[in-house]
Amino acid sequence: MSRPSINALTAPLVESLVADAEILCLGIERLENGCLLVDAGIHVKGSLEAGRRIAEICLGGLGSVSLSGSGPVAGWPLSVHVHAADPVLACLGSQYAGWSLSHKETDKKGFNALGSGPGRALSLKEPLFNELDYRDQADRTCLVLEVDRLPPLPLCEKIARDCGIDADALTLILTPTSSLAGTVQIVARVLEVAMHKSHELGFDLHAIQDGMGSAPLPPPAPDFLTAMGRTNDAILFAGLVQLFVRGEDAQAQKLAIDLPSSASRDYGRPFGEVFKAYGYDFFKIDPMLFSPARVMVSALDSGNSYAAGALDTALMAASFGIEP
């Protein structure tokens, strides 16, 4: 069975985003090599709607993202809802921020970012694509970068070369963690973290048939560390995911038990505190922490469902800076 081109699916979404830049409060800049930069919160304010649409671009055009007043936390004003009929390809083949990008600059500060979006399936820099057995072909593409400054020209040119396209066919969408758009597109990864952890747990990805997730949208914070903590905690303490799988009930039940964030040794404190305790070394944190608070795994072959984990609104409120 042929698989869809995520670059072809996202192309009209990117065109629409650029066309609506003014009403979405985005900044548009074309570099001297033709690469198009979409600023979603560095020098402009961006918007929640921009973040929602960028999240759908991250999903490779295979998923829907919505903002709603209803969600997993009763009384919370706004939540992000994500659905993908092919969650493995949408989340791991496109949305996952798996392409490590870096460029040394003369000031020695350098530029580092992780790329997500359909461009990953052109560059194939990650072994993950061998496991997914997927590669795409296209003459134009885009990447989403969670950064707070513009990427250097040489890096833009390298990304284009690695994707096998001309620089003027590359669009880079920039979403700072502390921005409105950045907050939405990060929390919209609630389903993706469940896919990534399922993969890390060794669950058969081919057995995952469908999936959806929800998480509360936290208030943005002006500093990076607080903003990063809140977006992570929205998922760790209040994210809710349901997966629909094929196979034996025992496998579905085990996945449900192992998948929630509470199964991690590092669960129980706001992410910012955990990060600080490890000396701000991201790689010392238990990778099993990054997952939704509560999951339900529905076994399609038997009709049984297995749930595990729980929402922790007290920890969520502490992280979000909510005054009693």
Side-chain angles (χ1 to χ4, degrees):
M1 183 173 113
S2 63
R3 303 177 79 181
S5 165
I6 56 177
N7 279 280
L9 289 171
T10 54
L13 302 181
V14 175
E15 291 175 7
S16 176
L17 185 78
V18 173
D20 293 342
E22 185 176 357
I23 62 174
L24 295 173
C25 303
L26 301 174
I28 304 295
E29 177 182 349
R30 193 170 288 278
L31 301 180
E32 60 185 71
N33 65 354
C35 175
L36 189 68
L37 301 183
V38 179
D39 176 1
I42 301 174
H43 301 303
V44 296
K45 70 170 185 153
S47 61
L48 298 177
E49 173 61 13
R52 186 196 69 78
R53 290 165 67 165
I54 291 167
E56 291 189 338
I57 290 170
C58 283
L59 286 162
L62 291 168
S64 62
V65 178
S66 62
L67 301 176
S68 169
S70 63
V73 179
W76 187 253
L78 198 58
S79 294
V80 181
H81 305 272
V82 184
H83 170 252
D86 187 346
V88 174
L89 182 55
C91 295
L92 296 184
S94 188
Q95 189 182 30
Y96 175 55
W99 188 1
S100 181
L101 302 164
S102 63
H103 177 73
K104 272 192 174 181
E105 297 177 307
T106 54
D107 62 5
K108 296 184 180 179
K109 184 178 180 182
F111 182 93
N112 298 283
L114 294 174
S116 60
R120 295 173 50 235
L122 297 182
S123 68
L124 302 176
K125 294 294 184 180
E126 307 153 58
L128 176 60
F129 284 96
N130 291 328
E131 297 182 55
L132 297 177
D133 190 25
Y134 182 80
R135 65 181 302 155
D136 201 6
Q137 293 183 326
D139 57 9
R140 59 190 314 106
T141 193
C142 77
L143 280 181
V144 175
L145 309 181
E146 186 185 334
V147 292
D148 59 7
R149 62 192 181 107
L150 305 184
L153 186 69
L155 180 60
C156 299
E157 293 175 343
K158 183 181 186 303
I159 293 171
R161 285 197 305 271
D162 288 345
C163 291
I165 61 170
D166 295 330
D168 62 3
L170 173 65
T171 299
L172 298 180
I173 303 171
L174 315 175
T175 60
T177 309
S178 59
S179 68
L180 290 167
T183 302
V184 174
Q185 76 90 12
I186 297 170
V187 176
R189 296 172 186 271
V190 58
L191 180 60
E192 180 256 299
V193 296
M195 292 294 99
H196 184 256
K197 188 168 179 179
S198 296
H199 175 248
E200 291 296 306
L201 290 169
F203 188 78
D204 180 10
L205 296 179
H206 296 96
I208 300 175
Q209 304 295 299
D210 212 318
M212 60 187 300
S214 299
L217 185 71
D223 67 282
F224 169 76
L225 288 176
T226 303
M228 180 180 67
R230 288 181 179 180
T231 52
N232 275 283
D233 290 341
I235 296 173
L236 300 182
F237 301 139
L240 177 64
V241 164
Q242 183 171 13
L243 301 181
F244 300 85
V245 304
R246 293 286 183 190
E248 299 294 328
D249 273 30
Q251 295 171 327
Q253 185 176 28
K254 186 176 189 312
L255 179 63
I257 293 170
D258 294 342
L259 200 51
S261 55
S262 55
S264 166
R265 68 171 188 264
D266 284 331
Y267 180 85
R269 291 178 293 169
F271 181 80
E273 292 184 18
V274 175
F275 193 40
K276 182 179 180 180
Y278 283 114
Y280 302 104
D281 187 340
F282 186 85
F283 295 101
K284 289 183 180 179
I285 301 171
D286 178 13
M288 295 294 104
L289 177 65
F290 301 99
S291 44
R294 181 167 173 79
V295 301
M296 179 176 290
V297 180
S298 297
L300 296 174
D301 294 334
S302 69
N304 295 324
S305 292
Y306 303 93
L311 307 186
D312 193 324
T313 54
L315 280 172
M316 183 201 82
S319 172
F320 287 8
I322 301 171
E323 297 295 335

